[in-house]
Amino acid sequence: MTASQPPTTADELRGAGLRVTAARVALLETVRHGDHLDVEAIASGVRERVGHISLQAVYDALHALTTAKLIRRIEPAGSPARFEGRVGDNHHHVLCRSCGAVADVDCAVGDAPCLTASDDHGYAIDEAEVIYWGLCPACSTASSS
């Protein structure tokens, strides 16, 4: 790999101290090319790329990749866990109450100010998770007609 080439998925896995397998590469790429996918959608995407993989193997790989901070897990109340490839920033999400669509929302006030709690109770805060709820444009239009 030369300095001008971005790291490959395998390089990123190695750099995170993870063993490189076809399933892990496929899973990481599926999450990164998806849109806040749930476990079933990720398993389906991995199977399209590498063939059979058990659901337990998908859960195990998701756990390893999340722990290594290569992917992010979000858990909206009342919804299945979702996974995304956007990591390393403190962005938030907006969810549709009707269809379950999810979109990224950048921090409402810039970089770190959204990490300033009104009372931090002595905690060293390093992440804030905000979920905005409402109706997406398609569901809003459908409910008003």
Side-chain angles (χ1 to χ4, degrees), residues 9-131:
T9 304
D11 293 333
E12 290 181 82
L13 289 167
R14 278 187 210 95
L18 297 174
R19 195 167 52 96
V20 177
T21 65
R24 281 186 177 164
V25 168
L27 192 143
L28 184 54
E29 290 175 352
T30 297
V31 169
R32 287 182 172 167
H33 292 103
D35 186 21
H36 303 96
L37 301 174
D38 64 17
V39 174
E40 292 293 333
I42 293 167
S44 177
V46 172
R47 287 180 186 125
E48 287 174 10
R49 293 170 184 246
V50 298
H52 177 74
I53 184 170
S54 72
L55 205 50
Q56 186 60 51
V58 170
Y59 277 107
D60 292 346
L62 286 169
H63 177 74
L65 294 174
T66 301
T67 301
K69 298 189 183 325
L70 292 175
I71 62 174
R72 181 177 174 194
R73 176 187 176 118
I74 63 168
E75 297 183 62
S79 297
R82 309 273 188 107
F83 295 85
E84 66 179 339
R86 184 175 170 184
V87 296
D89 65 357
N90 194 59
H91 73 279
H92 309 301
H93 297 92
V94 60
L95 274 81
C96 180
R97 290 185 188 281
S98 181
C99 71
V102 181
D104 290 334
V105 177
D106 289 328
C107 185
V109 293
D111 296 327
C114 66
L115 294 177
T116 306
S118 59
D119 183 355
D120 65 17
H121 299 275
Y123 285 67
I125 297 173
D126 63 9
E127 182 178 359
E129 185 171 318
V130 175
I131 298 180

